[in-house]
Amino acid sequence: MELEGSATGRYIVVKALEDGVTIMGLTRGKDTRSHHSERLDAGEVLVAQFTELTAAIKIRGKAEILTEAGRVESGT
Ligand code: TRP
């Protein structure tokens, strides 16, 4: 299935620690633009994968982020 091929299989978890946390998906390739943004309120959790389209994410606001690289907090 094409969708399976486009995702990396690894998941990241973002838990909002305040209202209005934004998560932006940044495109893969020569130009980096924000192609999607998602807003979370306190306590909401997003579980996501990187894909052929999404190479990086940017998080604005206070959040707990879990990846295979470890745990980090934004906005503190
Ligand atoms: N378009 C960039 C790329 O494919 C996206 C990117 C990947 C990026 N890693 C990044 C942007 C780190 C900023 C910082 O390489």
Side-chain angles (χ1 to χ4, degrees):
M1 205 174 97
E2 193 179 315
L3 264 179
E4 283 172 356
S6 68
T8 61
R10 286 171 291 215
Y11 287 84
I12 66 142
V13 177
V14 180
K15 181 181 182 182
L17 300 177
E18 66 181 7
D19 288 347
V21 169
T22 34
I23 302 165
M24 281 154 279
L26 305 179
T27 54
R28 192 178 300 282
K30 252 186 272 174
D31 60 279
T32 301
R33 52 185 182 78
S34 176
H35 67 80
H36 182 83
S37 98
E38 200 65 44
R39 182 186 185 277
L40 301 185
D41 285 331
E44 289 185 319
V45 171
L46 185 82
V47 181
Q49 283 176 308
F50 290 99
T51 63
E52 277 168 14
L53 180 63
T54 307
I57 65 168
K58 176 175 168 177
I59 296 165
R60 182 170 291 154
K62 198 165 168 4
E64 178 183 10
I65 301 143
L66 302 178
T67 72
E68 62 181 16
R71 175 188 183 278
V72 69
E73 267 191 32
S74 61
T76 53

